[in-house]
Each structure stands twice: as C-alpha cells, then as structure tokens.
Amino acid sequence: MPAVNVNIQPEIIHWALSQTPEEKLGNKLMNNITKWLDGTKTPAFNQIEDFSKKANIPLGYFFLQTPPAEQIPLLKYRTVNSTQPGQAVI
C-alpha cells in the first residue's frame, strides 16, 4: 500500500514540538520533522500518527490550521500561601 502524504501546517509542527521533549520522539522522527519544516519532505500519514502517539497529542490536532488555544481556568483559583485574594501575606 503506498504512503499517503499529508499537508500539515508548520505552526502545528512547531507547537507540537514545544509540547514534547525531543528525546521522547527519537532521532529518526526528529530528522523527519526537520525535513518537514524546511520543506524538503512531506510527512506521510503514518509518520504523523507516530508523532501523535509519541507526543501524546490527539491526531486530529495535526490537521488544524492554527495551534489550539490552551486555556487552563483552574489557575485563577490558585492562591499564594493558602490566603484569600486581597489578604496581606505575613
């Protein structure tokens, strides 16, 4: 069965790389990613699937036009030294 090449936005690849330690991806995949980013090679679907698994990023995210906006709403409820907002910390 022939490989199916896919068009992935470079911003998505950069975003996925920022979410994943390089040592988790391995040398072969990192070499391919470098070629994808400089435009000398187009990723195959199974390579993107492998990248997705190793990076623990849902496969569908790679087909977005822009990286997903990350919102972590629980951070607004964090406090310093377990004090209520507006209280002086001694």
Side-chain angles (χ1 to χ4, degrees):
M1 183 158 127
V4 177
N5 289 340
V6 291
N7 186 18
I8 306 296
Q9 298 297 322
E11 299 86 31
I12 299 293
I13 296 173
H14 284 293
W15 170 80
L17 282 174
S18 73
Q19 304 295 312
T20 312
E22 286 185 21
E23 56 271 1
K24 198 172 178 186
L25 299 176
N27 290 334
K28 183 178 179 184
L29 184 56
M30 280 306 299
N31 288 337
N32 283 333
I33 291 170
T34 303
K35 291 176 184 175
W36 302 340
L37 290 173
D38 68 18
T40 57
K41 194 172 180 185
T42 304
F45 183 81
N46 61 350
Q47 291 172 320
I48 293 298
E49 192 173 34
D50 184 40
F51 188 7
S52 168
K53 287 177 185 176
K54 288 182 178 180
N56 290 323
I57 296 174
L59 181 61
Y61 281 23
F62 287 90
F63 298 96
L64 297 173
Q65 295 299 313
T66 58
E70 299 178 69
Q71 297 178 2
I72 305 172
L74 292 178
L75 291 180
K76 67 182 179 182
Y77 297 110
R78 294 192 61 149
T79 60
V80 177
N81 296 329
S82 298
T83 60
Q84 293 296 321
Q87 287 182 330
V89 177
I90 300 174

